[in-house]
Structures are given as C-alpha cells and as structure tokens.
Amino acid sequence: MFNKVLVANRGEIALRVMRACRDLGVRTVAVYSDADKHAGHVRFADEAYNVGPARAADSYLDHEAIIEAARKAGAEAVHPGYGFLAENATFARKVEETELTWIGPSADAMERLGEKTKARALMQEADVPVVPGTTEPVESAEEVKEIAAEYGYPVAIKAEGGGGGRGLKVVESAEEVESQLETAQREGEAYFDNSSVYVEKYLESPRHIEVQILADERGNVRHLGERDCSLQRRHQKVIEEAPSPALDDDLRERIGEAARRGVSAADYTNAGTVEFLVEDGEFYFMEVNTRIQVEHTVTEEITGIDVVKWQLRVAAGEELDFAQENVAFDGHAIEYRINAENAAAEFAPATGTLETYDPPGGIGVRIDDAVRQGDEIGGDYDSMIAKLIVSASDRTECLARSERALSEFEIEGVETIVPFHRLMITDEAFRSGEHTTKYLDEELDPRRIERAVEKWGSGDTAAAPDGADGSEGDEDHVTEREFTVEVNGKRFEVNLEERGAPPIPDLDAVGNGGVSGGTGSASTRSRPDEATDDGGEVVVEGDGETVTAEMQGTILSVDVEEGEEVAAGDVVCVLEAMKMENDVVAERGGTVTQVLVGEGDSVDMDDVLVVLE
C-alpha cells in the first residue's frame, strides 16, 4: 500500500478519498486554489499545496501544477476523485509517465471508453446493446440533419468527453440543429477540453440505470449491482438509489452481466460505472464513466463494500478478494444531493455563508461533506455542498427515514434544495418508483416546488453581532484565532491566542480598505448615471437600461454587439456558474449601447454586462 497519496480534487469527494486513505494508514496531500484556502478538504489533509487562482483552468485543471505539488509532497500516487481531471486521459498519461501511480483506469482504457464514440463501437463488439446513432464524431449541422432524417427527431448531440449532462443537447427540429451543435461543442471544449460530438436517437422516457464495477490487474471483474439515477433536472442527477425500483431480477442480471462483459473487453482496471438507458423492458448502453461516481455511496450502503478503498488497493496491485457470487445486496439506500441552489428559480446556483449548518444523524444516516458552519459558499465550482445518504431494510422504510433526516437538516444563510427533496419523498410518482428522466423537467408542476421552498426554505440569515443577545462583554476573555500562511506554496496553520485584548483583525482584510471579521470579496460597480474611470473600473455611460449578472460566474459567449437591436427575452450573453450554462436575457427591448464583458471574463453578482437604450 502507498505511504502518501495526493488527492487532485476538492470538496466532499476529496474528503471522502482522504478518509479512505486514513482508514488504510495512508497520509494525504490536498491541493487548493486561492478560493479554497480555508476549505474542508484542506483542513482535513495531512498537508496542502496551493496550485493557483480560483479559476479551475488555472488551478485544479493545471496538469503541471498538480504533478509538481505531488512531487514536492513526496506523494507516491494521485487520486483524481470525480470531475476536474478524473476522466482526462492526457493527464492520466502524464502521471503514468512519472514516478507516480495513477489511481484509476489506465490512460489507454480511458481513451477507449472515455470518448463516447469509441466506447459505443467497443460495446457493440462485446454484444452490449447501444442506442442507435453514430460511432464516429460529427462536425457539421448537415451531418446531424442527415442522421435525424434517418432516425427521426428528437436526436441528442453529445460531447465525446461529456458527462453529468454537460455537452448534451436535445434537438427537436432541423431549425435547432446549428445552435445546439455549437453549444454542445462549446461545452465539450470548456468542460472536457474536447469539442468533438456525436449523435444518437433520443429516447423519449427512459430510466437511467448504471452499474458499479471493480476490476483488478489480474483480469477479475465484478459488478456491485445497479443504481437508479432517473430523477434528474436538465440532465443533472439530484436523487439516486440502489437497487432500482423499476427492474425485475431477470433484467437486473442481464444488465449486470452486460456491464462486466463490456469493461472486460476494454481491458479495464479499477473502479468505473457503466450507464444504461432502460425503456419498455429493453436496455441500451449509454456511456462508461471511467472514475468514481458521486452516487457510489448507495452501492456501498447495500453491499458493505468500500469502493474507494478498493480503488486504492487495486492501484497498489492487490487482487479483488471476493467472487461475483459473494456480492450480496442488503436493503435499500437513497442519496440526496444537497446543492446550493434555489429550486424555485429553476435550480439557479446560490451563494452565501453557512450561518447554520447542522446535518442530521442517527441510524441509517450518512453525511458526506466538506463544510462546516461559517464556511463561505462561493460560485467558483460545483454547487453540491453535501450528500445525504439514507439506508434501511427496504425502500418503504428508507423513504420514511429520509423524511425524518431531511426534516432534521438545518441550513441557513444559503439556499439549498433540501425543500425540493422534502417535496419529492411525498410525491406519488417518486414514491411509487414510476418516474423517468423526463419527470422533473416535463411533468412535475413547478408551482409545487415553489410552494415547497416557501414552506421549508431557510432563506438568508445574518449572524448577530457580539453582545446582541444582551450578554455583557468579558474583558478577561481569551481570543484565539487561526491564521493560514503559505511558504513556498505549502500551506501551514498558525494558532494565536491572546488574553485581555480586543479581537485580532482578519489579516486577509488588512490593506484592502479596512478590517473585516471574515473572508469574502467585494466589487465596485458603476451605476448607470455615474460613469467613472479610475484606471480599472468598468465605465457605464448614459442612463439606459442595464442587464446585470444574477450570479457569479464566467462569460461563455456574448451574443450581441453595440448598435444591435434586441427584443425582450433575447439572449445577450451566456453565463456559466457552478458548471451550468445560464442564458442572460434582456427584460426589455432596445438598442445595445455598451457591451461591458467579453468571452472568458469573470463577473460577480449584479455586475453590469450590457447597457440598452
């Protein structure tokens, strides 16, 4: 087994991997961006290294910075978690070419299965059913139209390196082909550094079923049963469970064996997930996720097998010590993604400070997180802040226990989708297990979500100032503060204690116009009637209508030019926040007099993007 492992990720998955390492007696190394200086995974690790600024492309996606941090720390292996570089074959190969061990499938296997067209071709050869479509990338709108003419609309355009719904666009008619193709290619390039896309027939109302597999270097392949991930919004999973309430024993066995057959043909090792679509009693291969999945937790709960520990063991050369017939499934488990989003506003990302963070506990309740009360939830990365996993003897008991656990989950200061989850466990379609991947986007009445948020939403709160509760101050109080310093890029924590003195100021705020009691950021925004030019601030001229950013994020595209006429509802730019594309539209029509942002710019909430007259 390794002595020290670098975890090339952040948040709850980094902490999950680190806990598995610690269980095995392995020391851990964290990497972090400027935005994550005080993050939970950094606090937990044995040591931590800064790898760059907040923008993921300049930190968590920086190949050389990650490898250099591993070498500085004396790590022997790199675990990528999920997201970021987890399915990047180029990065995996770079790690393989060093003295470090890559904890995951080989770069060759990742290329065979990570690019969707190659995976479809391989699965066809292994006699695994696939959704009708192309096995080669498409490059033009005309190619897409020809395929749609063969299979009929709707069709799905998918990024080759895609996953999690990113880089997937559904085309309902020929008029949509060009714009949807461009968007899928852009998302593929932005998220996976691969703009190639392919096309397949879009199934109307399928179930999303995936199979967890483990494979060692001696050719042993085991499946750990299936998970049902059908409850999705905009192709993003929100609730996952195991086993699926929609499969009978025969279909369950056929899907599990197909998954084993497919990854065996790919000469695959380590953990992975084979995803299928199920409709009308038939199943079709969709893709292989060549990494650990967010929802691996529910598989662990019903099998008792620690998937992450086996990732480490397989990478260290160990052999799977259990046969397929020894994999037993006990009970039922459901995972609820606790995302910082406002479900009543089409799941728009939310930011703020966790003024209250008190997760539930008790028998059958597991929390995977990397946050604590007082942490700042920014908009730089994925919106998921925690996972609630509930297990029980059967699905009925699991739903009852979920109701209790969700009611105990107290979060204030940041909007989350806990109210949405509380709605779903009372929803008849979900309780009966009859929902499909279309249910949230096309069937559930959004007014029910709005009422749930009104009933159970926490809203924003503000912490009371010192002494606001009427208590007397104590002149002899002990003030203890923890500071973080960096020496040659390595993170150290320093505790400072002082008695009988006023609170120590936040050193991070000194020299920035004052002293604050916490971390955060501020930006100066020009008002439409106050044009300024101080050598760096955006200048807004005139008194026209402004189109502003509703959240912090990155501009993916600007769709208007100065002098252009726009109507109410027209898209003026596309803003990416927490890995979701959001169209920014004009509320009123007019002429564009100023465009204040460009592609790739970072913006804060309420920043002016476009001015109209």
Side-chain angles (χ1 to χ4, degrees):
M1 182 49 66
F2 310 108
N3 292 312
K4 186 184 288 189
V5 169
L6 180 140
V7 182
N9 217 294
R10 64 177 301 279
E12 61 83 22
I13 185 54
L15 199 59
R16 167 72 185 92
V17 175
M18 291 174 187
R19 284 180 169 139
C21 288
R22 190 164 289 184
D23 286 351
L24 293 170
V26 178
R27 292 178 61 79
T28 57
V29 180
V31 292
Y32 64 96
S33 72
D34 291 346
D36 276 343
K37 185 177 182 181
H38 303 288
H41 74 286
V42 178
R43 298 190 294 256
F44 186 89
D46 293 304
E47 54 190 294
Y49 293 81
N50 186 301
V51 289
R55 186 169 177 262
D58 300 321
S59 51
Y60 293 110
L61 294 174
D62 187 330
H63 298 190
E64 304 310 321
I66 300 294
I67 292 173
E68 178 61 23
R71 284 174 165 159
K72 278 185 180 180
E76 299 166 77
V78 174
H79 192 302
Y82 51 69
F84 290 140
L85 296 170
E87 293 183 281
N88 189 308
T90 300
F91 178 66
R93 195 176 305 283
K94 287 182 180 179
V95 173
E96 291 171 346
E97 291 172 350
T98 70
E99 70 281 9
L100 302 166
T101 298
W102 172 254
I103 301 176
S106 68
D108 288 342
M110 292 175 72
E111 288 176 346
R112 284 191 291 270
L113 291 174
E115 291 190 359
K116 307 308 188 260
T117 53
K118 293 181 180 179
R120 285 166 57 84
L122 188 149
M123 289 295 165
Q124 284 182 318
E125 293 174 4
D127 196 28
V128 177
V130 301
V131 179
T134 66
T135 55
E136 294 293 332
V138 298
E139 298 180 357
S140 69
E142 289 307 314
E143 289 179 84
V144 177
K145 291 176 182 178
E146 289 176 7
I147 296 163
E150 180 179 354
Y151 298 119
Y153 288 100
V155 294
I157 303 175
K158 294 186 174 183
E160 275 205 291
R166 301 179 188 97
L168 185 158
K169 296 299 168 186
V170 179
V171 182
E172 300 285 352
S173 65
E175 290 72 25
E176 298 178 3
V177 168
E178 191 167 341
S179 63
Q180 296 289 55
L181 174 62
E182 179 183 331
T183 301
Q185 290 172 327
R186 183 175 67 240
E187 288 188 9
E189 179 67 32
Y191 294 122
F192 311 106
D193 196 26
N194 183 352
S195 62
S196 293
V197 298
Y198 67 101
V199 181
E200 66 182 24
K201 175 63 180 172
Y202 188 66
L203 300 181
E204 292 291 347
S205 296
R207 302 286 294 218
H208 182 127
I209 306 296
E210 61 187 31
V211 178
Q212 177 71 60
I213 63 97
L214 283 171
D216 64 27
E217 295 176 356
R218 294 168 177 79
N220 299 306
V221 180
R222 309 285 183 259
H223 79 77
L224 307 185
E226 89 283 354
R227 299 184 287 256
D228 195 313
C229 307
S230 300
L231 200 71
Q232 305 176 5
R233 50 104 179 104
R234 286 156 52 176
H235 307 290
Q236 294 282 330
K237 304 167 188 173
V238 287
I239 298 177
E240 305 100 339
E241 59 184 307
S244 170
L247 302 190
D248 58 30
D249 290 341
D250 175 67
L251 188 53
R252 177 171 289 115
E253 178 66 20
R254 287 194 289 135
I255 289 179
E257 287 306 310
R260 290 182 71 191
R261 192 164 61 246
V263 297
S264 294
D267 193 23
Y268 189 93
T269 58
N270 215 273
T273 304
V274 187
E275 299 197 344
F276 298 92
L277 295 177
V278 176
E279 190 171 69
D280 298 329
E282 299 296 330
F283 67 93
Y284 306 93
F285 168 79
M286 183 168 60
E287 62 187 22
V288 176
N289 290 127
T290 57
R291 54 173 168 81
I292 195 72
Q293 290 274 87
V294 175
E295 57 274 14
H296 73 277
T297 57
V298 292
T299 295
E300 293 178 329
E301 293 304 309
I302 68 168
T303 63
I305 295 173
D306 188 321
V307 178
V308 179
K309 275 189 184 179
W310 273 112
Q311 283 191 291
L312 294 160
R313 287 171 171 160
V314 167
E318 294 186 28
E319 183 176 4
L320 294 173
D321 63 1
F322 56 91
Q324 184 62 55
E325 55 266 26
N326 297 135
V327 179
F329 308 108
D330 183 20
H332 200 91
I334 303 177
E335 176 182 275
Y336 303 88
R337 299 192 186 196
I338 310 302
N339 297 340
E341 298 171 358
N342 184 351
E346 297 184 345
F347 294 87
T351 59
T353 301
L354 289 173
E355 303 292 357
T356 299
Y357 182 75
D358 188 8
I363 189 170
V365 175
R366 166 179 169 180
I367 297 289
D368 278 21
D369 63 13
V371 297
R372 65 184 178 187
Q373 191 161 294
D375 279 0
E376 186 77 19
I377 306 301
D380 295 297
Y381 310 112
D382 192 276
S383 62
M384 189 173 65
I385 59 176
K387 300 185 303 196
L388 167 64
I389 305 99
V390 181
S391 57
S393 60
D394 57 31
R395 193 171 189 266
T396 299
E397 184 182 27
C398 194
L399 288 170
R401 185 167 288 165
S402 297
E403 185 172 8
R404 185 264 296 173
L406 286 163
S407 70
E408 292 178 4
F409 212 140
E410 295 186 25
I411 301 177
E412 294 182 334
V414 178
E415 286 283 355
T416 73
I417 60 171
V418 168
F420 164 79
H421 290 315
R422 296 184 70 175
L423 167 66
M424 292 316 301
I425 58 175
T426 67
D427 179 77
E428 186 54 38
F430 179 72
R431 291 187 66 87
S432 63
E434 297 176 353
H435 58 286
T436 70
T437 58
K438 303 293 185 67
Y439 183 64
L440 291 187
D441 290 335
E442 299 181 10
E443 298 176 38
L444 182 68
D445 186 345
R447 290 174 296 183
R448 294 182 60 200
I449 299 177
E450 293 171 4
R451 290 194 292 268
V453 172
E454 290 175 1
K455 181 177 181 180
W456 292 307
S458 61
D460 292 335
T461 64
D466 292 340
D469 58 356
S471 62
E472 297 291 335
D474 185 355
E475 293 183 0
D476 296 324
H477 72 278
V478 177
T479 301
E480 184 173 330
R481 292 290 302 275
E482 180 182 277
F483 298 99
T484 302
V485 297
E486 291 178 8
V487 180
N488 294 327
K490 183 175 181 180
R491 183 183 188 274
F492 297 89
E493 292 181 354
V494 179
N495 291 312
L496 181 62
E497 181 179 293
E498 190 164 346
R499 298 175 180 272
I504 301 166
D506 187 336
L507 297 184
D508 287 339
V510 175
N512 289 315
V515 175
S516 80
T519 59
S521 62
S523 62
T524 303
R525 302 180 182 89
S526 303
R527 287 163 47 188
D529 58 347
E530 293 184 2
T532 64
D533 187 359
D534 58 4
E537 300 296 342
V538 169
V539 180
V540 178
E541 301 172 348
D543 57 359
E545 296 287 341
T546 61
V547 181
T548 60
E550 295 184 355
M551 62 197 75
Q552 183 185 41
T554 302
I555 300 296
L556 288 185
S557 69
V558 178
D559 299 279
V560 295
E561 298 178 349
E562 291 185 7
E564 184 176 339
E565 294 288 333
V566 298
D570 283 354
V571 176
V572 298
C573 62
V574 178
L575 173 67
E576 184 271 327
M578 293 183 175
K579 297 186 179 180
M580 294 172 59
E581 282 199 11
N582 303 273
D583 289 340
V584 180
V585 301
E587 293 186 4
R588 300 177 178 84
T591 302
V592 178
T593 58
Q594 281 186 279
V595 177
L596 301 172
V597 292
E599 183 177 329
D601 287 353
S602 296
V603 297
D604 287 331
M605 183 181 295
D606 296 329
D607 277 357
V608 178
L609 309 177
V610 173
V611 180
L612 305 174
E613 284 188 355

